[in-house]
Amino acid sequence: MIELESLDRKEAIRYLGGSGIKLNYRMDALMDECEKEILLKADPKYLYIEKELPCNGLIKGKDIEKHLYGCEKAVLMCATLGTEIDKIIRINQISDMARAVVLDSFASVAAEQLCNRVNEAIVEKYSDYYTTFRFSPGYGDYPIEMQNYFLQTLDAPRKIGLTSNSNYLLVPTKSVTAVIGLSKSPIERKRLGCAGCIARESCQFRRNGEHCGV
Amino acid sequence: MEFKDFINKKEFILLDGAMGTMIQKSGVKYDSVPEALNITHPKLIASFHKAYVDAGADVIYSNTFGANAYKLKDSGYSVKQVISAAINNAKNAVKGTDALIALDIGPIGQLLEPAGALSFDEAYEYYKEQIIAGKDADIIVFETMTDLYELKAAVLAAKENCSKPIITTMTFERSGRTFTGASAASAAVTLEGLGADALGVNCSLGPDELEPIVSEISKYTDLPIVIKPNAGLPDPNSNEYNILPDDFAKSVLTLLKYGVKIVGGCCGTTPEYIAKIKETLSGEKYHPQKKSVDTTICSASTAVEINGPRIIGERINPTGKKLFKQALVDKNIDYILTQALNQISGGAEILDVNVGHPEIDEKNMMVSVIKAIQSVCDAPLQIDSTKPEVLEAGLRYYNGKPIVNSVNGEEKSLRAVLPLVKKYGASVVGLTLDENGIPKTAEGRFKIAKRIVERAEAAGIDRKDVYIDCLTLTVSAEQDACRETLSALHRVKTELGCKTCLGVSNISFGLPNRELVNRTFLTMALEEGLDLPIINPNIASMTGAVRAYRVLAGIDKNSNEFISVYNNAAPQTAAADTLADMDIFTAIYNGLKKEGACLTEKLLNENADPMKIVNEMLIPALDKVGDGFEKNKIFLPQLIQSANAAQECFEVIKKHISQTSGSPVSKGKIILATVKGDIHDIGKNIVKVLLDNYGYTVVDLGRDVDPQLIVDTAVEQNIKMIGLSALMTTTLKSMEDTIKMVRERKELQNPDGSSKCVVFVGGAVLTKEYAMKIGADYYCKDAKESVDTAKKVLG
């Protein structure tokens, strides 16, 4: 089980496009309140499973092939904050939109932190391997349709209530699926970078000279 | 043998163990779904069934858990093919025995609205297809369900398409809730109401961890309880389960005291487990349980026991409310949701929902409003309409056990309403009036109450689910009527053993200081035994009277609730001195709602021109904030807070204008929608807040919106501007399709064929180039740009 104790506030502000803005006391108070609420309502759950490579059905497109190049194994993972988070964001969109966007931002941060923790656990478990970074459906040319492959392989709907809709969007929405490659020999730990990203033309981070972190 | 005979004749009914575990152990490979094995390996599947029958199972589950059209879509087989083959395999296995075949049905695999995008009706159709395909089974089983709403669709599909007995089991976590937040109590109350024949739990946990959940369920149902636990918890490394058959069977024994009658095993269990349970149960007795909590209504997450006065909020009702009526006409669901949330924060425990208005389609509106409210509120609902078809629509789409408001003593009403209450397992308010009107005397009303209760019981409805309303008449017109109402209420409570309900506010029509009269009457009625006062929970003294009564009557133990509500209550009004040196501009810039509203009111009282306030104060303040946002000096949440503060000022102005019956302030209507297939709508909602505040009327069609609805609404309401959002690359196609449809619709074209509608689009993955390519008129990178675009187009 993973419990999140605190959330990265700077990151939440960055998601809201507020890097470099001095927050007034009301905004500070709002950030505090929302961080607490997300920590209280999040129900972090995750799964991972090890697969020998080559693994039937996992490879679709060039980017995932590149990502797993030289790896003997891959670990498929998924993580979710649960439905309650979606619900409080929904409620706040009616009662207090400002709060809703801050909650949404902290929830994204929480999902990311949860993934990092799962990632750490995987790295620790496979300490005799070199590991790649997390690669998710939707990165580069890896089709978003692969969500269903991950969910099925991990038995995620039954085990942690994580599903997708007919457009392959994850439900609950604050959820992630990803694959990490394992190799006995060193891997060049390269990030995907903007060049391989489908959102590069519209990316707010990129526009402001920043990077999303993927 | 029939299932009902089974239930009666057998002390316990033994189900089978896991199919998945057998398949896994055999090492057989399958292509897409394990259900395909019914066709490719019929003998193997039959041999698994046979092993369970030999181990002593009275009922075996067909290998059809995921045999729905959604999960089979890439398998190359149809639902009918898979299910017929599966039932056939099961038949071959039970030949020559008494064992019955259950058509096993699991979740569809997509989440339903509101969390997901699958609609209730779509879910119903998936289940219907399976039930019809499984016509040769003896029993229908729904298992491993985590969403009560999905399960309701499933049970209705079974009830409406076959007459087989129905077993339902849900999967709970240690918290006592399912993944979607359904509580064990709500599941028991709702499913018993819908007519399940047995209910319980399966999967997720082992028998030991299930005890608190089984105990909770047993408090809320008289039905036989089913358990089909996992063989303990899986080891995270090996995926092996940790309880062996002996211990499993022993743990089952400890659960018998909760009324467990039907026992089997889920993940990790094998014929050995079933044989062991059979051996262990021989000589044991079934302990039938009567529910200990017997007057309950619920939402999916919250069960409310009527064990003392419970407040029903009356505000979702257009009667006498101009703004509410307008909201209905405009399909402004958010307005209604705000009313719902405000009442909950005021202290309402149940919400009455009435959307009757001659200018709208009440039935469709009832469904939309119920779906919307249950997506944000945990309070159970009371479905309020004079039209049976509206009641039925509300009952069908409600997630939980609601109250129906109402039936009365008229033959026509009894005949139309009671069967609906029974079918959907609701409670019902019984009004003590009939063909001859409202009897003047308590005796007359009591007689009608008695008739309603008798008729309800004849229709199969427990009298505990009938809440009698002895009707409040206006005391200024008939002073003695108050006594008659209270006396009838007292008799109903004591002689009929029913719960009682009363709309309180009617009492004071025509009198000054109505609040005082209402509160006094409420207190009198509570003392006579009123259980469900229908009041405005946002009037603090009314809610307070109920809470104080609960203390004084010894219901609120140790005054816990009272203290928690009132101990730290902060004064809610804006302090006069903070207002003294503030203007509207400052209030909006700083996002101070209450202050903004007070200041606006003050100006209006000083006879300021409302449009001048809008144009010279509100809009410039918003512009200043918007400008700061553009220059990266103001944080998005602050921009929204300012917009909300402006919204409060606008509300005050709107109210003022509607009272002085001027024309409403609107700069034009704009449709907003998140396109079909997309469920990420926060960006669209931010745009909405801003447009609202610049005085545009937003027709918000929500998320995952059908292009047809967008086009139809534009035509119907003659709308010239449409905003579409999409977050994912996969849903950009929907955006393109929607724009295409807008362009093609004749009514939305000028005589020369050009489009009358301006379409603006936005969303994370969109670019200006792409927006143009798919035929949009404008691309807006954020909410502020949407407002600029609206100004350009509509002025």
Side-chain angles (χ1 to χ4, degrees):
Chain A
M1 244 202 17
I2 291 179
E3 287 254 7
L4 299 170
E5 283 95 27
S6 69
L7 300 175
D8 185 341
R9 183 178 177 129
K10 250 177 112 177
E11 192 70 356
I13 294 175
R14 197 169 75 90
Y15 283 173
L16 287 164
S19 297
I21 294 176
K22 184 162 171 23
L23 304 192
N24 63 25
Y25 75 96
R26 290 172 58 82
M27 288 299 119
D28 265 332
L30 181 65
M31 296 295 289
D32 284 345
E33 220 181 278
C34 291
E35 180 188 352
K36 268 189 212 137
E37 183 153 359
I38 292 295
L39 287 172
L40 183 74
K41 296 288 168 64
D43 182 14
K45 287 200 160 57
Y46 65 93
L47 296 167
Y48 59 82
I49 189 172
E50 174 195 320
K51 290 277 171 193
E52 296 288 335
L53 292 177
C55 168
N56 200 8
L58 178 65
I59 308 292
K60 281 257 161 70
K62 282 191 192 122
D63 289 325
I64 181 73
E65 206 173 329
K66 243 187 269 170
H67 178 75
L68 295 176
Y69 180 76
C71 294
E72 296 92 49
K73 289 180 180 187
V75 177
L76 275 61
M77 61 163 279
C78 63
T80 180
L81 300 179
T83 52
E84 196 62 21
I85 293 291
D86 284 351
K87 189 170 170 187
I88 59 168
I89 295 172
R90 203 159 56 230
I91 292 170
N92 276 276
Q93 286 186 58
I94 295 149
S95 56
D96 188 344
M97 193 67 211
R99 232 171 152 263
V101 299
V102 178
L103 288 169
D104 186 70
S105 173
F106 269 119
S108 300
V109 170
E112 190 62 22
Q113 284 182 212
L114 172 61
C115 284
N116 290 341
R117 296 273 295 274
V118 178
N119 205 338
E120 283 162 23
I122 293 170
V123 169
E124 197 177 321
K125 181 167 172 188
Y126 296 98
S127 55
D128 45 345
Y129 283 89
Y130 293 93
T131 53
T132 68
F133 68 92
R134 294 197 297 278
F135 196 93
S136 295
Y139 284 13
D141 69 353
Y142 199 36
I144 191 84
E145 286 80 355
M146 289 302 292
Q147 297 291 23
N148 284 10
Y149 173 83
F150 278 75
L151 297 178
Q152 269 172 31
T153 309
L154 289 155
D155 198 8
R158 192 179 65 84
K159 286 189 172 153
I160 62 170
L162 176 56
T163 65
S164 65
N165 75 1
S166 46
N167 281 288
Y168 311 101
L169 307 187
L170 295 177
V171 185
T173 57
K174 297 299 174 189
S175 308
V176 173
T177 63
V179 56
I180 296 171
L182 305 179
S183 167
K184 286 283 187 189
S185 47
I187 301 170
E188 200 188 334
R189 275 181 158 264
K190 218 168 55 187
R191 291 280 174 193
L192 182 63
C194 298
C197 178
I198 41 166
R200 65 183 173 274
E201 293 308 325
S202 57
C203 178
Q204 294 284 343
F205 294 119
R206 206 164 161 258
R207 213 172 280 169
N208 299 334
E210 297 173 40
H211 191 265
C212 67
V214 170
Chain B
M1 205 187 304
E2 287 274 320
F3 181 73
K4 293 224 157 80
D5 299 329
F6 244 63
I7 288 262
N8 294 332
K9 276 196 192 145
K10 300 218 169 198
E11 200 61 40
F12 295 101
I13 293 170
L14 218 55
L15 306 173
D16 60 8
M19 171 59 73
T21 305
M22 300 292 273
I23 291 175
Q24 233 169 9
K25 285 199 168 167
S26 76
V28 63
K29 291 273 175 262
Y30 52 88
D31 250 359
S32 48
V33 287
E35 289 78 8
L37 295 173
N38 289 312
I39 296 166
T40 57
H41 297 72
K43 285 196 177 131
L44 183 70
I45 296 297
S47 75
F48 299 152
H49 289 315
K50 179 87 174 31
Y52 281 121
V53 174
D54 291 345
D58 301 308
V59 176
I60 54 164
Y61 285 19
S62 59
N63 179 29
T64 50
F65 180 80
N68 62 61
Y70 177 69
K71 284 188 177 161
L72 292 182
K73 73 175 185 283
D74 300 324
S75 71
Y77 299 110
S78 71
V79 171
K80 199 174 163 196
Q81 279 174 316
V82 171
I83 291 184
S84 332
I87 301 283
N88 222 2
N89 296 337
K91 287 219 152 148
N92 287 334
V94 302
K95 234 175 236 159
T97 71
D98 269 356
L100 297 181
I101 297 167
L103 173 67
D104 182 33
I105 301 179
I108 294 163
Q110 278 195 76
L111 279 188
L112 261 71
E113 54 192 357
L118 191 69
S119 76
F120 185 85
D121 290 336
E122 286 166 333
Y124 177 93
E125 291 302 324
Y126 278 120
Y127 287 118
K128 181 178 168 184
E129 186 181 13
Q130 295 174 78
I131 285 151
I132 291 172
K135 61 182 188 324
D136 294 329
D138 305 300
I139 302 168
I140 307 282
V141 165
F142 299 109
E143 65 163 344
T144 326
M145 304 299 285
T146 57
D147 181 357
L148 187 55
Y149 204 36
E150 182 175 353
L151 185 47
K152 175 169 177 174
V155 171
L156 283 176
K159 285 265 164 197
E160 291 173 355
N161 295 287
C162 76
S163 52
K164 297 184 180 54
I166 299 168
I167 294 179
T168 67
T169 55
M170 294 188 82
T171 297
F172 293 89
E173 297 190 82
R174 278 175 201 273
S175 63
R177 290 184 183 276
T178 67
F179 288 136
T180 63
S183 70
S186 292
V189 167
T190 306
L191 293 164
E192 181 174 312
L194 287 171
D197 295 274
L199 57 86
V201 294
N202 78 296
C203 205
S204 177
L205 302 169
D208 296 333
E209 297 86 13
L210 281 176
E211 174 154 8
I213 296 158
V214 174
S215 149
E216 177 78 356
I217 289 176
S218 74
K219 287 182 199 154
Y220 291 90
T221 182
D222 295 339
L223 292 175
I225 289 180
V226 190
I227 55 166
K228 213 171 191 277
N230 286 351
L233 300 168
D235 179 294
N237 288 315
S238 64
N239 230 1
E240 293 283 324
Y241 288 84
N242 66 0
I243 294 191
L244 295 174
D246 259 348
D247 293 330
F248 188 93
K250 271 185 212 143
S251 298
V252 166
L253 278 186
T254 64
L255 297 176
L256 295 184
K257 58 177 177 286
Y258 302 112
V260 170
K261 168 133 190 154
I262 305 175
V263 185
C266 204
C267 305
T269 61
T270 58
E272 274 179 273
Y273 286 75
I274 302 305
K276 202 74 207 177
I277 300 170
K278 188 177 171 76
E279 184 191 318
T280 313
L281 284 180
S282 73
E284 292 294 332
K285 287 269 171 245
Y286 166 50
H287 304 270
Q289 293 285 309
K290 279 275 166 207
K291 55 187 143 205
S292 55
V293 182
D294 60 5
T295 307
T296 310
I297 54 165
C298 67
S299 65
S301 62
T302 307
V304 173
E305 186 190 357
I306 318 296
N307 55 353
R310 296 287 193 181
I311 297 169
I312 302 182
E314 67 179 6
R315 300 295 293 165
I316 302 178
N317 190 324
T319 312
K321 300 187 195 105
K322 238 181 176 173
L323 289 176
F324 200 112
K325 283 179 188 158
Q326 193 57 46
L328 287 176
V329 172
D330 294 342
K331 299 189 178 141
N332 181 357
I333 304 277
D334 276 3
Y335 177 87
I336 298 170
L337 289 183
T338 308
Q339 301 274 335
L341 292 173
N342 285 346
Q343 290 187 89
I344 304 283
S345 58
E349 295 161 285
I350 299 160
L351 298 178
D352 186 87
V353 179
N354 182 319
V355 292
H357 183 53
E359 288 169 40
I360 62 154
D361 177 345
E362 185 183 347
K363 190 171 141 186
N364 280 334
M365 182 55 78
M366 180 60 92
V367 173
S368 307
V369 168
I370 282 191
K371 284 184 176 181
I373 294 179
Q374 67 194 6
S375 76
V376 296
C377 286
D378 292 327
L381 302 183
Q382 170 161 292
I383 302 165
D384 183 358
S385 175
T386 51
K387 298 182 183 138
E389 69 272 19
V390 176
L391 293 176
E392 166 141 39
L395 282 163
R396 193 167 185 89
Y397 295 98
Y398 180 70
N399 187 8
K401 176 183 177 184
I403 307 174
V404 167
N405 189 10
S406 56
V407 70
N408 63 51
E410 275 183 76
E411 190 54 36
K412 205 174 92 195
S413 168
L414 292 165
R415 278 181 191 223
V417 177
L418 293 178
L420 297 177
V421 173
K422 172 65 187 164
K423 176 178 176 187
Y424 292 99
S427 293
V428 62
V429 171
L431 303 182
T432 52
L433 58 84
D434 62 12
E435 291 85 349
N436 306 314
I438 304 173
K440 276 203 176 324
T441 63
E443 174 63 21
R445 287 185 223 174
F446 178 78
K447 273 189 182 151
I448 296 177
K450 194 158 174 262
R451 197 163 78 227
I452 292 172
V453 170
E454 284 164 3
R455 289 290 294 271
E457 284 187 327
I461 301 162
D462 194 314
R463 70 170 60 206
K464 285 173 180 150
D465 286 324
V466 182
Y467 310 150
I468 296 293
D469 184 338
C470 293
L471 301 168
T472 302
L473 301 182
T474 303
V475 76
S476 61
E478 285 175 89
Q479 200 157 9
D480 297 337
C482 172
R483 272 278 144 229
E484 295 300 323
T485 301
L486 293 176
S487 146
L489 193 159
H490 182 81
R491 285 192 62 193
V492 165
K493 189 75 187 274
T494 50
E495 294 174 37
L496 293 181
C498 285
K499 301 291 179 188
T500 59
C501 165
L502 205 55
V504 172
S505 317
N506 268 352
I507 194 81
S508 60
F509 271 129
L511 288 176
N513 203 346
R514 290 189 58 186
E515 188 180 326
L516 184 57
V517 179
N518 289 346
R519 190 183 55 199
T520 309
F521 176 60
L522 170 64
T523 316
M524 290 166 79
L526 288 170
E527 186 52 18
E528 295 294 347
L530 175 59
D531 298 291
L532 295 162
I534 306 179
I535 60 173
N536 179 352
N538 295 110
I539 296 177
S541 68
M542 295 296 281
T543 310
V546 176
R547 289 189 180 129
Y549 176 84
R550 287 201 283 237
V551 170
L552 300 173
I555 297 163
D556 180 2
K557 293 292 173 216
N558 301 319
S559 316
N560 281 339
E561 184 210 349
F562 194 86
I563 291 168
S564 79
V565 172
Y566 294 108
N567 222 12
N568 297 311
Q572 291 286 307
T573 46
D577 55 336
T578 61
L579 288 180
D581 45 46
M582 192 184 286
D583 53 23
I584 289 190
F585 193 93
T586 316
I588 291 178
Y589 191 81
N590 289 300
L592 303 169
K593 280 198 218 174
K594 277 182 198 110
E595 288 77 358
C598 285
L599 288 163
T600 309
E601 213 150 322
K602 209 171 125 214
L603 283 175
L604 289 171
N605 289 339
E606 289 161 5
N607 279 325
D609 173 10
M611 283 321 291
K612 225 172 150 180
I613 301 179
V614 172
N615 291 323
E616 290 175 17
M617 296 178 199
L618 301 187
I619 301 286
L622 280 172
D623 281 342
K624 169 129 200 255
V625 181
D627 192 46
F629 175 71
E630 262 179 3
K631 296 195 172 121
N632 218 20
K633 284 191 181 135
I634 280 178
F635 192 33
L636 175 67
Q638 192 182 344
L639 171 73
I640 298 169
Q641 271 194 351
S642 292
N644 279 333
Q647 175 76 26
E648 292 287 311
C649 304
F650 273 115
E651 288 305 322
V652 172
I653 290 171
K654 263 196 225 161
K655 219 176 189 171
H656 177 84
I657 291 178
S658 84
Q659 274 160 6
T660 55
S661 45
S663 59
V665 218
S666 173
K667 297 186 163 176
K669 275 190 182 177
I670 301 173
I671 289 177
L672 285 186
T674 298
V675 297
K676 183 81 198 153
D678 210 324
I679 50 173
H680 299 86
D681 60 349
I682 196 160
K684 183 261 300 168
N685 291 338
I686 298 171
V687 171
K688 179 183 174 193
V689 170
L690 253 73
L691 287 174
D692 263 343
N693 292 299
Y694 273 85
Y696 300 101
T697 303
V698 175
V699 179
D700 179 7
L701 297 177
R703 54 180 197 169
D704 189 21
V705 184
D706 205 301
Q708 192 65 48
L709 178 68
I710 297 173
V711 174
D712 289 347
T713 310
V715 173
E716 237 169 67
Q717 304 200 30
N718 191 23
I719 293 176
K720 299 281 172 357
M721 192 164 179
I722 299 173
L724 302 173
S725 84
L727 184 85
M728 309 292 287
T729 38
T730 45
T731 51
L732 287 178
K733 180 79 179 63
S734 297
M735 187 176 262
E736 189 174 356
D737 294 344
T738 308
I739 297 175
K740 208 164 153 214
M741 211 173 205
V742 171
R743 302 302 185 211
E744 281 169 1
R745 182 72 173 253
K746 271 269 169 292
E747 293 98 318
L748 300 176
Q749 291 173 355
N750 291 313
D752 67 355
S754 64
S755 180
K756 278 199 241 176
C757 264
V758 168
V759 179
F760 67 105
V761 297
V765 295
L766 264 182
T767 60
K768 183 154 189 213
E769 295 69 44
Y770 196 84
M772 297 302 124
K773 200 183 119 200
I774 61 173
D777 297 295
Y778 292 94
Y779 162 73
C780 302
K781 74 169 164 47
D782 57 25
K784 176 64 179 35
E785 227 174 75
S786 303
V787 171
D788 297 341
T789 305
K791 280 185 186 165
K792 229 184 280 172
V793 175
L794 299 174

